[in-house]
Amino acid sequence: MTNKLTIKAFNHVALQISDIEKSRAFYSEILGLEEIPAPTFDYPVVWFSLGNGREVHLIGRKPEATFTPVRSNHFALEVSDIYLAEKILKENGANCLPIKSRPDGILQLFLTDPDGNFIELCQI
């Protein structure tokens, strides 16, 4: 038997949000994620599928909580056409930065959700 920790896979990312309905609309209508059933907690939650068992969990937080998002704290979603993604985001009024190329040539675009959480879209 080994005492080494073995990570099987990435499972989910959880984000605190202030307005559950506003964020539900953003993640479902603008990003096009599929909402999935979530367990009942004593605070509001909305869960979305990223496919292959990966999920985004939105957790309602008290309005008085302070939060300062920074771009280095983000999660990334792969898209097949980053230019189409940028067009759709802009048409829907999403707050996004211009597309840029990482040093390894991967195209990326950063946007923020209604609470200012950073999301990277990348085209590999």
Side-chain angles (χ1 to χ4, degrees):
M1 180 173 151
T2 179
N3 287 332
K4 184 178 176 185
L5 178 66
T6 303
I7 304 296
K8 291 173 44 178
F10 172 80
N11 182 268
H12 72 272
V13 61
L15 301 171
Q16 288 189 347
I17 51 109
S18 59
D19 184 327
I20 205 92
E21 293 308 320
K22 187 174 184 179
S23 291
R24 172 184 270 134
F26 175 83
Y27 282 87
S28 63
E29 296 170 16
I30 294 177
L31 292 184
L33 297 182
E34 174 191 355
E35 187 172 341
I36 58 174
T40 301
F41 293 92
D42 58 356
Y43 48 86
V45 298
V46 179
W47 288 10
F48 294 94
S49 173
L50 294 173
N52 299 317
R54 307 324 181 236
E55 301 170 354
V56 173
H57 298 175
L58 303 181
I59 301 169
R61 67 168 185 238
K62 295 178 182 176
E64 66 270 13
T66 59
F67 173 70
T68 304
V70 292
R71 193 175 74 181
S72 59
N73 294 333
H74 67 274
F75 67 96
L77 303 173
E78 185 178 341
V79 296
S80 57
D81 185 336
I82 200 155
Y83 296 102
L84 177 59
E86 179 184 47
K87 178 180 180 292
I88 292 168
L89 291 170
K90 286 181 176 181
E91 287 173 353
N92 284 281
N95 182 19
C96 57
L97 299 173
I99 294 170
K100 67 177 191 171
S101 180
R102 295 189 326 207
D104 61 1
I106 301 296
L107 295 175
Q108 64 183 169
L109 173 153
F110 284 91
L111 68 142
T112 56
D113 73 5
D115 280 285
N117 295 301
F118 279 95
I119 303 165
E120 175 188 342
L121 300 184
C122 59
Q123 181 178 329
I124 298 176

